[in-house]
Short mmCIF file of all heavy atoms in Angstrom, two decimals:
data_model
loop_
_atom_site.label_atom_id
_atom_site.label_comp_id
_atom_site.label_asym_id
_atom_site.label_seq_id
_atom_site.Cartn_x
_atom_site.Cartn_y
_atom_site.Cartn_z
N PRO A 28 -32.85 40.61 57.68
CA PRO A 28 -31.64 40.32 58.46
C PRO A 28 -31.52 38.83 58.77
O PRO A 28 -32.52 38.14 58.93
CB PRO A 28 -31.86 41.13 59.75
CG PRO A 28 -32.88 42.17 59.41
CD PRO A 28 -33.75 41.56 58.34
N GLY A 29 -30.29 38.38 58.87
CA GLY A 29 -30.03 36.99 59.23
C GLY A 29 -30.03 36.06 58.04
O GLY A 29 -30.28 36.47 56.90
N PRO A 30 -29.77 34.79 58.31
CA PRO A 30 -29.69 33.81 57.21
C PRO A 30 -31.07 33.48 56.65
O PRO A 30 -32.09 33.72 57.30
CB PRO A 30 -29.08 32.58 57.88
CG PRO A 30 -29.47 32.71 59.32
CD PRO A 30 -29.51 34.18 59.61
N ILE A 31 -31.08 32.94 55.45
CA ILE A 31 -32.30 32.37 54.88
C ILE A 31 -32.23 30.88 55.18
O ILE A 31 -31.28 30.20 54.79
CB ILE A 31 -32.39 32.61 53.35
CG1 ILE A 31 -32.49 34.11 53.06
CG2 ILE A 31 -33.59 31.87 52.77
CD1 ILE A 31 -32.47 34.45 51.57
N THR A 32 -33.23 30.38 55.91
CA THR A 32 -33.28 28.96 56.25
C THR A 32 -34.64 28.41 55.87
O THR A 32 -35.63 29.15 55.78
CB THR A 32 -33.06 28.74 57.77
OG1 THR A 32 -34.17 29.31 58.49
CG2 THR A 32 -31.75 29.36 58.25
N TYR A 33 -34.70 27.11 55.67
CA TYR A 33 -35.98 26.47 55.39
C TYR A 33 -36.96 26.65 56.55
O TYR A 33 -38.15 26.84 56.35
CB TYR A 33 -35.79 24.99 55.08
CG TYR A 33 -35.06 24.75 53.78
CD1 TYR A 33 -33.75 24.31 53.77
CD2 TYR A 33 -35.69 24.97 52.56
CE1 TYR A 33 -33.08 24.09 52.57
CE2 TYR A 33 -35.04 24.76 51.37
CZ TYR A 33 -33.73 24.32 51.38
OH TYR A 33 -33.08 24.11 50.19
N GLU A 34 -36.42 26.61 57.75
CA GLU A 34 -37.27 26.79 58.93
C GLU A 34 -37.88 28.18 58.96
O GLU A 34 -39.08 28.34 59.25
CB GLU A 34 -36.45 26.53 60.20
CG GLU A 34 -36.00 25.09 60.36
CD GLU A 34 -34.75 24.71 59.54
OE1 GLU A 34 -34.15 25.59 58.89
OE2 GLU A 34 -34.39 23.52 59.55
N ALA A 35 -37.09 29.20 58.65
CA ALA A 35 -37.61 30.57 58.61
C ALA A 35 -38.64 30.73 57.50
O ALA A 35 -39.67 31.39 57.69
CB ALA A 35 -36.47 31.57 58.43
N LEU A 36 -38.38 30.12 56.34
CA LEU A 36 -39.33 30.19 55.23
C LEU A 36 -40.65 29.54 55.63
O LEU A 36 -41.74 30.04 55.31
CB LEU A 36 -38.77 29.52 53.99
CG LEU A 36 -37.51 30.15 53.38
CD1 LEU A 36 -37.02 29.31 52.20
CD2 LEU A 36 -37.74 31.59 52.96
N ALA A 37 -40.57 28.42 56.36
CA ALA A 37 -41.78 27.73 56.81
C ALA A 37 -42.55 28.59 57.81
O ALA A 37 -43.78 28.71 57.74
CB ALA A 37 -41.41 26.39 57.44
N ASP A 38 -41.83 29.20 58.73
CA ASP A 38 -42.49 30.06 59.72
C ASP A 38 -43.12 31.27 59.04
O ASP A 38 -44.21 31.71 59.43
CB ASP A 38 -41.50 30.50 60.79
CG ASP A 38 -41.03 29.34 61.67
OD1 ASP A 38 -41.64 28.25 61.63
OD2 ASP A 38 -40.04 29.54 62.39
N ASP A 39 -42.45 31.81 58.03
CA ASP A 39 -43.03 32.93 57.26
C ASP A 39 -44.33 32.49 56.59
O ASP A 39 -45.33 33.22 56.62
CB ASP A 39 -42.05 33.41 56.18
CG ASP A 39 -40.81 34.08 56.73
OD1 ASP A 39 -40.79 34.46 57.93
OD2 ASP A 39 -39.85 34.25 55.95
N ALA A 40 -44.32 31.31 55.98
CA ALA A 40 -45.52 30.82 55.29
C ALA A 40 -46.66 30.60 56.28
O ALA A 40 -47.82 30.92 55.99
CB ALA A 40 -45.21 29.52 54.54
N ALA A 41 -46.34 30.08 57.47
CA ALA A 41 -47.36 29.89 58.50
C ALA A 41 -47.95 31.23 58.91
O ALA A 41 -49.17 31.35 59.10
CB ALA A 41 -46.77 29.16 59.71
N ALA A 42 -47.12 32.25 59.00
CA ALA A 42 -47.60 33.59 59.35
C ALA A 42 -48.49 34.15 58.25
O ALA A 42 -49.51 34.79 58.54
CB ALA A 42 -46.42 34.52 59.62
N VAL A 43 -48.13 33.92 56.99
CA VAL A 43 -48.97 34.38 55.87
C VAL A 43 -50.33 33.70 55.94
O VAL A 43 -51.37 34.36 55.78
CB VAL A 43 -48.27 34.10 54.51
CG1 VAL A 43 -49.24 34.28 53.34
CG2 VAL A 43 -47.06 35.01 54.34
#
Side-chain angles (χ1 to χ4, degrees):
I31 296 175
T32 66
Y33 292 107
E34 293 81 5
L36 297 176
D38 293 346
D39 292 345
V43 167

